[in-house]
Amino acid sequence: MTASPVRSKDEIPDAEYRKMVLTLMDKQASREVATAEVFGQCVLHAPTVEDKIRITRFQHEELKHFQLLARIMSELGVDMDAYVRDRQRAGARFTGDEADMQIQDWIDATLFNFMIDRAATFQLTEYTKGSYLPLAQANDVILKEEEGHKSFGEAGLEQMCQDPAARAEIQRRFQKWFVASMRIFGRAGTPGNQYCLRVGLKTRDSGDVAAAYVDSIRPVMARCGLRFPERSELPLELPPQVDLSV
Ligand SMILES: [Fe+2]
Ligand SMILES: [Fe+2]
């Protein structure tokens, strides 16, 4: 077992490391393609042609992210054509419930982009520092595009929240999207997390990554006049280091 860089598949030290790299890539790859599918729903509700163009560009970029990962996964022997064909549909990938991920209007689309797309970005930022260099390098490329996605949801949310009625509706729906975004980080302190830290596949426990994500949206929440749900209102256990104040 090693925390030194693994430069290619031929340097993978053992079966356990290989299995974990594949698990991390499976999670990310399925989210890249699921995000592209949800953006497809968002296009229907985009209020202007400029917004539709931007969302379809994001959608295209998510599919390219998938292809970058697919190349590395197929090097490790995964049949990626079968993977795409047989995978779960988008909603189930995020919440476990397909019906849950329906985008009803532009508010849902904005909340999806603001929270889910951003949380995924925080997760993959970890992988850019990870010891499996093919994955780290792919995520360097992916991250550049994700930065652009991040600012879009943020600006849209701030604009919508200037209207008190829209702000109240956003607050009402906030919890659902927040919970789905927190699920992306997985549980903190698990044996899998500890293994990833030991072999350098991650540099922080998922509780710390989740806390950093919440820190990043806090200033936006303050500008929008929104609040986080109470810890006791949430149907999942949050890592203790997550700060829900605004
Ligand atoms: Fe992506
Ligand atoms: Fe994205």
Side-chain angles (χ1 to χ4, degrees):
M1 206 173 297
T2 172
S4 57
V6 177
R7 280 171 300 216
S8 71
K9 73 170 189 346
D10 301 322
E11 291 186 5
I12 288 178
D14 53 31
E16 194 180 11
Y17 187 96
R18 181 179 185 280
K19 190 169 168 229
M20 184 54 82
V21 164
L22 278 169
T23 300
L24 299 181
M25 289 196 292
D26 170 40
K27 285 191 188 144
Q28 186 183 347
S30 65
R31 278 199 295 259
E32 299 287 5
V33 77
T35 303
E37 289 174 0
V38 177
F39 277 146
Q41 296 182 49
C42 296
V43 173
L44 299 172
H45 303 289
T48 67
V49 170
E50 288 73 22
D51 289 325
K52 288 182 196 292
I53 289 173
R54 198 170 351 221
I55 294 291
T56 45
R57 177 164 61 77
F58 290 174
Q59 186 182 33
H60 183 200
E61 287 171 353
E62 303 299 358
L63 292 171
K64 285 192 302 175
H65 301 167
F66 174 79
Q67 283 182 316
L68 283 171
L69 292 164
R71 205 169 305 153
I72 312 170
M73 290 169 77
S74 50
E75 273 177 16
L76 293 177
V78 183
D79 177 348
M80 294 308 289
D81 291 334
Y83 183 93
V84 173
R85 206 171 47 237
D86 304 337
R87 51 177 290 285
Q88 286 176 285
R89 297 271 318 282
R93 266 295 168 185
F94 288 117
T95 63
D97 180 357
E98 178 65 35
D100 237 31
M101 201 47 55
Q102 293 304 313
I103 301 290
Q104 311 280 4
D105 56 19
W106 192 234
I107 289 181
D108 281 342
T110 305
L111 287 173
F112 171 77
N113 179 227
F114 178 62
M115 287 192 270
I116 309 261
D117 200 16
R118 174 186 299 244
T121 302
F122 268 79
Q123 187 72 347
L124 65 84
T125 303
E126 274 300 290
Y127 302 158
T128 64
K129 302 174 216 148
S131 56
Y132 192 55
L133 296 192
L135 178 59
Q137 286 154 1
N139 274 314
D140 279 334
V141 176
I142 292 172
L143 202 58
K144 290 204 182 81
E145 290 181 340
E146 289 298 346
E147 285 300 320
H149 301 192
K150 218 158 79 178
S151 43
F152 182 66
E154 192 173 315
L157 196 69
E158 283 185 40
Q159 203 204 348
M160 278 196 265
C161 282
Q162 287 171 5
D163 172 38
R167 189 195 310 129
E169 183 58 21
I170 287 165
Q171 184 69 66
R172 199 180 65 73
R173 292 193 214 174
F174 190 86
Q175 175 163 334
K176 166 185 156 180
W177 297 99
F178 182 68
V179 168
S181 71
M182 293 307 288
R183 285 196 203 285
I184 287 176
F185 301 105
R187 282 185 305 123
T190 58
N193 261 303
Q194 284 159 12
Y195 174 78
C196 286
L197 288 169
R198 214 160 55 231
V199 298
L201 281 168
K202 292 182 183 173
T203 59
R204 295 187 289 180
D205 184 77
S206 53
D208 294 330
V209 184
Y213 155 72
V214 172
D215 289 346
S216 88
I217 60 176
R218 180 175 301 104
V220 188
M221 302 287 283
R223 287 199 292 277
C224 289
L226 296 169
R227 62 166 189 85
F228 289 106
E230 299 290 333
R231 209 169 257 271
S232 58
E233 293 171 344
L234 296 172
L236 81 175
E237 204 185 312
L238 285 188
Q241 60 269 59
V242 171
D243 173 7
L244 293 178
S245 66
V246 172

